[in-house]
Amino acid sequence: MAQLLTDAEIAARLGQLSGWTLSGKEIQLVRTFKNFVEAIAFVNQLVEPAEAAGHHPDIAISYNKVTVSVTTHDAGGLTNTDFELAAVISGLG
Amino acid sequence: MAQLLTDAEIAARLGQLSGWTLSGKEIQLVRTFKNFVEAIAFVNQLVEPAEAAGHHPDIAISYNKVTVSVTTHDAGGLTNTDFELAAVISGLG
């Protein structure tokens, strides 16, 4: 099982990401787009990196706003894998 | 502004839909798929009817599970438009 990060490690990793915030045992990114169609286009961009990592964010879509939440459910919190996926998601258009 | 349905009207309309449940001022449908990719494929199917109706469901994706929530935010509750969109979504693959 993946190893949980310590609070200090989480803080350090979060500091290297832009736009992500800590929410309980997850890290979250909120992205706002011009409209629903563009929001869905962004969600489609998440598929390839999620499948490649074998790690899937929870996604909430409300019209033009997409909230992406990442955690390692099996480990019960945040692991390296979460921050690796978050970094890839941050690089999406 | 669209007219809010009464509780009796909501109950009657819900009775005509399969799989939708009332959750506060929204109606919700939960669909479970084989995996994340198929869940996203279903979400993509929502785009055309939502754009055609000018009415957009809130969508939550958790791996293979998609929760679709419909309400008329401007009216502060459920209207005819919500049940029309729900009926179209029910007909998707």
Side-chain angles (χ1 to χ4, degrees):
Chain A
M1 184 182 290
Q3 197 175 334
L4 288 177
L5 298 176
T6 66
D7 288 352
E9 287 168 331
I10 290 169
R13 298 294 291 266
L14 262 181
Q16 296 164 2
L17 288 173
S18 179
W20 291 81
T21 55
L22 185 65
S23 173
K25 297 187 169 186
E26 303 181 329
I27 48 172
Q28 286 191 335
L29 174 71
V30 179
R31 292 279 307 266
T32 304
F33 298 90
K34 206 173 70 182
N35 53 38
F36 184 67
V37 171
E38 293 198 2
I40 298 287
F42 173 69
V43 170
N44 277 293
Q45 285 189 281
L46 301 175
V47 174
E48 192 180 324
E51 289 291 303
H55 196 54
H56 301 82
D58 286 343
I59 303 162
I61 307 158
S62 185
Y63 189 54
N64 65 336
K65 193 180 82 174
V66 179
T67 303
V68 181
S69 304
V70 179
T71 189
T72 304
H73 291 292
D74 290 351
L78 290 162
T79 66
N80 243 326
T81 311
D82 299 311
F83 285 93
E84 286 166 5
L85 182 60
V88 174
I89 292 172
S90 282
L92 299 175
Chain B
M1 182 181 292
Q3 197 176 335
L4 288 177
L5 298 176
T6 66
D7 288 350
E9 287 169 331
I10 290 169
R13 298 293 293 266
L14 261 181
Q16 296 163 2
L17 288 173
S18 178
W20 291 80
T21 56
L22 186 64
S23 174
K25 295 186 170 188
E26 303 181 329
I27 50 173
Q28 286 191 335
L29 175 71
V30 179
R31 293 279 307 266
T32 304
F33 298 90
K34 206 173 67 183
N35 53 38
F36 184 67
V37 171
E38 292 198 3
I40 298 288
F42 173 69
V43 169
N44 279 305
Q45 286 190 280
L46 301 174
V47 174
E48 191 180 323
E51 289 290 302
H55 195 53
H56 300 82
D58 286 342
I59 303 163
I61 307 159
S62 184
Y63 188 55
N64 65 336
K65 194 181 81 172
V66 180
T67 303
V68 182
S69 304
V70 179
T71 191
T72 303
H73 293 291
D74 290 351
L78 289 161
T79 67
N80 242 325
T81 310
D82 299 310
F83 284 93
E84 286 167 4
L85 181 60
V88 174
I89 292 172
S90 284
L92 299 176

